[in-house]
Amino acid sequence: MWGFQAVRETCIRDLQLIVAGPARRIQLAHKYNIQSWLAPEIKRLASRPESLSEEEAEQIGMETFVKIAYYRDLRFDHLKELASELDLSAVGGTTA
């Protein structure tokens, strides 16, 4: 009736441009119920090579931290499985 949803959507769109870092976006997504930010930012943190910092873990909360750790473990396990399926010694190398 008052158009507050449109104002909210505009604020969310503008905030996404100025809020730095996926952990901070996750923190704000939880606080302000911005569902559209959660999945992409969780995926971004789960797929990056470096671990989460202590500050990031505090920002995102324990529940989200555990989800990200789970996804990172799955990714690592998949890479280990893939490496074991590939017989790397047969690719120009010798077995020790």
Side-chain angles (χ1 to χ4, degrees):
M1 177 177 167
W2 295 96
F4 289 124
Q5 186 61 32
V7 171
R8 175 181 162 79
E9 290 170 7
T10 299
C11 290
I12 289 170
R13 186 182 64 243
D14 292 348
L15 264 177
Q16 192 162 12
L17 298 173
I18 60 173
V19 174
R24 181 69 173 136
R25 286 191 199 105
I26 290 170
Q27 182 183 39
L28 292 174
H30 285 304
K31 185 173 184 176
Y32 298 110
N33 195 28
I34 308 172
Q35 294 301 313
S36 62
W37 284 12
L38 285 175
E41 299 304 337
I42 288 172
K43 183 178 179 183
R44 187 170 286 118
L45 285 179
S47 62
R48 75 179 191 189
E50 60 274 350
S51 298
L52 271 70
S53 70
E54 196 172 313
E55 179 183 354
E56 289 171 323
E58 289 175 9
Q59 285 180 330
I60 64 176
M62 180 59 78
E63 184 179 337
T64 305
F65 177 79
V66 169
K67 284 180 186 177
I68 290 170
Y70 173 75
Y71 294 133
R72 289 175 67 90
D73 285 348
L74 284 178
R75 190 172 133 231
F76 180 73
D77 288 345
H78 174 71
L79 291 174
K80 264 192 344 189
E81 183 179 303
L82 183 61
S84 70
E85 287 176 8
L86 297 173
D87 184 8
L88 297 180
S89 65
V91 185
T94 61
T95 56

